Amino acid sequence: MAITKIRIATRRSKLAMVQTLWVKEELERNIPNIEVNIEAMATQGDKILDVALAKIGDKGLFTKELETQMLQDKADIAVHSLKDLPTNLPDGLTLGCITKREDPSDALVINKKNESYKLENLPSGSIVGTSSLRRLAQLKFNFPNLIFKDIRGNVITRLEKLDSGEFDCIILAAAGLKRLGFESRIHQLIPSEISLHAVGQGALGIECKSDNHDVLKIIQVLTHEETSKRCLAERSFLRELEGGCQVPIGVNSGIKNNQIFLTGMVASIDGKKLIKDKSIGPSTDPERIGKDLANKLKIQGAEKILEEIFNEYR
Ligand code: DPM
């Protein structure tokens, strides 16, 4: 039998490599006679480490170089953290598959000296490290007594910065910590009532060329139906609000009895304004639920909040 060859483009970070190796193993486990090769590279987002993420724009910061590889036929698929993949993809490329989601929550990781505290009772003036406008806005809204400081670098670098005493605590995605084997560093899972997670958080997205039908078919073995529906609703919500990946927009979703439940919020960066609402609808039409929710928030003033942010950061 002929050998099927798949070339994967990925970022070089430890987390990206763990995720890509998982995809490789799953493909090898499910598809007979497959040969999977990985090409790892740095993206713009990996290179610019000294500037706050929010200030260097968002359009495909972690994905563009991988997409170029596919468009130039040097790779067949790209494996992304779904939350880093813009909602509008370049012409000729498609989101071919969404994998089973890890816990999508954010996690509080704490410096040893603060071990007796939870987010709710951290002393006033405690320094929280995050570069996510979404985390910043929601935590400021709930805990205006805390101080927030930018933190960059990959997950391991951030843990080192925390341990060195630069911060009292930092916020990271539980999914990334788990995949990297740092589950024991999760001090507290942040409840969705306090902070909604990012669109697509915890899931992987596999991108490929829209006309590559063979590859599209092969990667379906990695599709997780429930995650896909939830994430398509979340992505439709974000797309409708025209938010990039670096905006204070958060979601929470679930499926029960073939109904998708979607909660979404938009907040101002100072944490003073926060609009939140919910939509429910049949899981056969995730896109509509996302749009519906976005429109509900728009009516309540979401566009004005987002416009102010764009004016400040662009
Ligand atoms: C995006 C954000 C962050 C990443 C913004 C957000 C966090 C940035 C920061 C879109 N991508 O979440 O509001 O904290 O400075 C990223 C992580 C993962 C994928 C790391 C993390 C792992 C989790 C996953 C960076 N991208 O959020 O702790 O696969 O969902």
Side-chain angles (χ1 to χ4, degrees):
M1 215 167 124
I3 290 180
T4 310
K5 292 191 180 182
I6 298 277
R7 298 160 301 171
I8 310 184
T10 175
R11 291 172 55 203
R12 223 182 252 143
S13 77
K14 187 88 194 289
L15 180 59
M17 287 307 292
V18 168
Q19 294 176 166
T20 301
L21 281 170
W22 178 81
V23 168
K24 174 178 156 75
E25 279 162 23
E26 286 296 297
L27 287 174
E28 287 169 347
R29 205 164 61 78
N30 287 285
I31 314 274
N33 295 310
I34 196 166
E35 187 183 308
V36 183
N37 289 300
I38 295 175
E39 200 203 329
M41 63 198 79
T43 62
Q44 198 194 359
D46 300 303
K47 289 172 193 159
I48 312 173
L49 292 175
D50 52 345
V51 185
L53 252 193
K55 297 207 170 111
I56 47 180
D58 50 34
K59 296 268 179 273
L61 200 56
F62 292 108
T63 54
K64 199 159 176 257
E65 285 81 354
L66 311 183
E67 292 174 334
T68 304
Q69 289 294 104
M70 290 185 287
L71 291 169
Q72 295 180 350
D73 274 324
K74 292 178 187 155
D76 303 300
I77 62 176
V79 176
H80 309 286
S81 285
L82 185 56
K83 79 165 171 172
D84 292 328
L85 187 65
T87 53
N88 291 313
L89 303 180
D91 280 345
L93 295 174
T94 188
L95 174 53
C97 157
I98 297 175
T99 66
K100 189 170 194 301
R101 185 172 231 174
E102 239 315 337
D103 185 340
S105 341
D106 284 333
L108 179 74
V109 185
I110 207 141
N111 183 286
K112 242 182 169 342
K113 68 178 192 293
N114 300 312
E115 227 159 33
S116 59
Y117 298 108
K118 296 283 181 205
L119 194 52
E120 295 84 344
N121 62 5
L122 274 170
S124 271
S126 294
I127 297 172
V128 185
T130 179
S131 299
S132 152
L133 298 181
R134 174 186 60 82
R135 291 170 179 149
L136 177 74
Q138 295 184 93
L139 293 178
K140 271 190 180 169
F141 179 82
N142 284 287
F143 309 109
N145 58 325
L146 300 177
I147 291 173
F148 296 87
K149 245 176 80 178
D150 236 349
I151 180 169
R152 285 294 321 274
N154 62 39
V155 173
I156 295 163
T157 311
R158 289 183 191 207
L159 292 174
E160 284 166 4
K161 287 182 178 171
L162 171 69
D163 294 338
S164 77
E166 253 181 86
F167 303 91
D168 290 303
C169 60
I170 59 176
I171 316 289
L172 290 169
L177 288 166
K178 285 189 181 175
R179 290 201 179 107
L180 285 170
F182 289 119
E183 190 167 0
S184 62
R185 299 294 311 256
I186 300 177
H187 183 67
Q188 178 185 9
L189 286 173
I190 301 179
S192 60
E193 296 74 37
I194 292 179
S195 184
L196 295 174
H197 60 72
V199 163
Q201 188 158 313
L204 308 185
I206 304 182
E207 193 182 11
C208 68
K209 281 176 108 174
S210 322
D211 61 4
N212 199 341
H213 303 290
D214 294 340
V215 163
L216 271 167
K217 205 170 147 198
I218 287 170
I219 59 180
Q220 290 325 306
V221 296
L222 293 172
T223 294
H224 187 260
E225 283 301 329
E226 185 187 316
T227 307
S228 295
K229 289 184 169 135
R230 287 169 57 189
C231 289
L232 290 177
E234 294 174 10
R235 284 173 66 78
S236 153
F237 169 69
L238 183 61
R239 188 181 299 120
E240 193 68 19
L241 287 172
E242 288 170 55
C245 59
Q246 270 298 324
V247 280
I249 292 181
V251 292
N252 190 44
S253 67
I255 298 193
K256 217 174 168 185
N257 301 327
N258 297 317
Q259 296 280 305
I260 299 182
F261 299 77
L262 185 65
T263 303
M265 77 89 209
V266 172
S268 63
I269 296 174
D270 59 12
K272 293 201 170 126
K273 282 173 265 175
L274 190 148
I275 305 173
K276 198 191 231 182
D277 212 332
K278 289 178 188 188
S279 266
I280 302 172
S283 61
T284 44
D285 199 356
E287 301 274 333
R288 213 187 65 200
I289 300 158
K291 273 190 187 169
D292 181 55
L293 182 59
N295 287 322
K296 279 189 187 174
L297 294 195
K298 280 182 185 174
I299 292 167
Q300 296 168 56
E303 277 170 317
K304 188 157 176 286
I305 293 180
L306 292 173
E307 219 167 274
E308 281 167 14
I309 293 165
F310 290 137
N311 290 339
E312 185 174 337
Y313 280 95
R314 297 300 121 103

